[in-house]
Amino acid sequence: SVLKKLSLTDFHLQDFPPKDSPYHNYDEATAALRLIQASAPDIVSMFSIGKSVQGRELWAVRFNTDAKNLDPSQKPGIVFMGAHHAREHLSTEVPLLLAQWLVENRHREDVLKLLNSRDITIIPMVNPDGVEYDIATGKYRWQRKNMRPNPNGTYGVDLNRNYGYQWGTGGSSKNQNSDVYMGPSPFSEPESQAVRNFCETHKNLTILLSYHTFSELILYPWGHTYSSIPNTEDLAAFTAMAKKMAGMTGYKPEQSSDLYIASGDTTDWAYGALGIFAFTFELTPSSILKGGFYPGTDVIQSTFQKNIPPALYLIDLADNPRRAISTAF
């Protein structure tokens, strides 16, 4: 397994608490992506979609048999993302393991078919500055936001309240101290700008999945309002896809606002602005009592294994997400 070739002694510490050392910090995640790319250079390219506030590259790996890096592709596209929120470290591990798994299983018939016919991009750590801050002392700091210096002396904008669609219309805050501080303006942050620019310039993208923790939920738009998506065909596709993936994972499918109102989030923007079928997965555990944001290492492999089938399902549907309606059961 390419991810397991890395030793903590290869990288500078402070770091995750020792008991959680299997989780990847920024340097380890970067090195893991390099190994994945090097192990399958014919189909995997590695590139940055932009830089964080503190200048870290936002690394991506792309699986495509005939397009590399940021080049356009005619193949149906899907993007997986993790760690918009710093303390949600499991949301980095799942997409990172997905990239590894696709390489290791590339010759399996069903996987080979998808790799030959789809354009798959994986961005495991959208908020590297926040991740590094969360673990910098060897004890978790419960950091959620990025590391933007705010005028009042605090740090951080909630990247998942900073997207432009219906920005600031509820479930976010103008208070710089708040964990859901939406920033001074839509797309004020280089991290959300990088995701925006990537999605806008890749017209072939039809599906987006943003991993978060925790609660074991499959969420689809809208988040900014309790109203349903007005396009009835799209709503039927979203609900069919969510129900199908709930059957695979045991997670609960629901409209995002059924959890709570949140505006300026990634999935509302992706669908509302670009028409991309976008989901948020709230990964394990189901509650704060079972570990919350810091559930330990035992859940990494089991959570990932549970999330392989929905990932393959979405990759397959990228040619036509509305096809989920006719294949629902």
Side-chain angles (χ1 to χ4, degrees):
S1 159
V2 290
L3 295 190
K4 292 173 184 172
K5 293 176 183 175
L6 301 172
S7 161
L8 279 178
T9 58
D10 296 333
F11 302 99
H12 63 81
L13 304 173
Q14 292 279 39
D15 203 347
F16 283 96
K19 65 182 175 61
D20 283 350
S21 63
Y23 285 91
H24 288 74
N25 64 26
Y26 176 73
D27 286 344
E28 291 165 346
T30 301
L33 292 174
R34 290 196 195 285
L35 282 172
I36 290 164
Q37 190 279 325
S39 69
D42 55 325
I43 59 167
V44 182
S45 56
M46 178 176 171
F47 56 94
S48 171
I49 65 165
K51 292 182 185 287
S52 67
V53 166
Q54 295 178 342
R56 292 181 175 89
E57 301 287 356
L58 307 179
W59 293 114
V61 287
R62 181 187 192 184
F63 293 76
N64 193 309
T65 54
D66 54 27
K68 300 293 184 186
N69 301 316
L70 289 164
D71 294 341
S73 175
Q74 298 304 311
K75 294 179 178 180
I78 182 171
V79 58
F80 297 88
M81 293 185 287
H84 267 81
H85 292 143
R87 63 195 174 195
E88 299 174 15
H89 302 289
L90 186 60
S91 74
T92 292
E93 301 305 311
V94 169
L96 198 54
L97 285 164
L98 176 61
Q100 175 197 12
W101 188 91
L102 288 172
V103 167
E104 292 178 345
N105 292 275
R106 60 178 295 191
H107 298 299
R108 209 174 87 174
E109 185 177 358
D110 58 335
V111 178
L112 179 63
K113 181 181 177 182
L114 294 175
L115 291 174
N116 283 334
S117 60
R118 301 289 185 265
D119 182 24
I120 306 162
T121 302
I122 299 175
I123 309 165
M125 195 180 288
V126 175
N127 181 9
D129 298 348
V131 168
E132 290 295 282
Y133 179 80
D134 191 53
I135 62 175
T137 64
K139 295 181 180 179
Y140 294 122
R141 288 166 151 173
W142 290 72
Q143 179 70 10
R144 173 182 169 96
K145 300 183 288 183
N146 75 349
M147 292 304 293
R148 163 75 67 194
N150 294 323
N152 72 349
T154 63
Y155 284 87
V157 168
D158 183 347
L159 296 176
N160 211 37
R161 300 295 184 274
N162 191 238
Y163 288 80
Y165 189 81
Q166 298 293 326
W167 176 83
T169 57
S172 59
S173 177
K174 296 179 180 178
N175 182 347
Q176 296 163 30
N177 298 299
S178 171
D179 254 357
V180 291
Y181 173 50
M182 61 192 183
S185 60
F187 294 114
S188 60
E189 305 312 295
E191 297 93 343
S192 56
Q193 291 170 25
V195 173
R196 176 196 64 191
N197 295 344
F198 177 81
C199 292
E200 286 182 346
T201 55
H202 289 78
K203 307 294 188 185
N204 63 322
L205 286 174
T206 63
I207 297 178
L208 178 153
L209 174 51
S210 182
Y211 294 107
H212 286 256
T213 71
F214 57 94
S215 288
E216 299 184 354
L217 301 172
I218 293 170
L219 305 175
Y220 54 88
W222 300 121
H224 70 276
T225 176
Y226 293 117
S227 300
S228 298
I229 293 167
N231 183 313
T232 54
E233 183 185 19
D234 285 4
L235 180 60
F238 269 116
T239 54
M241 294 160 80
K243 183 177 180 181
K244 179 78 169 179
M245 295 188 291
M248 298 170 175
T249 56
Y251 298 172
K252 180 183 178 183
E254 62 184 25
Q255 184 172 317
S256 293
S257 57
D258 289 346
L259 179 61
Y260 48 68
I261 289 285
S263 61
D265 87 318
T266 320
T267 51
D268 272 17
W269 169 79
Y271 177 71
L274 300 180
I276 296 170
F277 281 77
F279 292 88
T280 296
F281 276 25
E282 295 284 356
L283 299 168
T284 301
S286 57
S287 74
I288 193 80
L289 298 176
K290 295 183 178 180
F293 298 114
Y294 305 112
T297 59
D298 290 349
V299 303
I300 296 175
Q301 279 298 327
S302 59
T303 301
F304 170 63
Q305 291 295 327
K306 191 177 289 187
N307 277 277
I308 295 172
L312 296 178
Y313 171 71
L314 291 177
I315 293 168
D316 177 60
L317 275 178
D319 68 322
N320 178 12
R322 295 173 184 87
R323 182 162 56 85
I325 302 169
S326 60
T327 57
F329 60 86

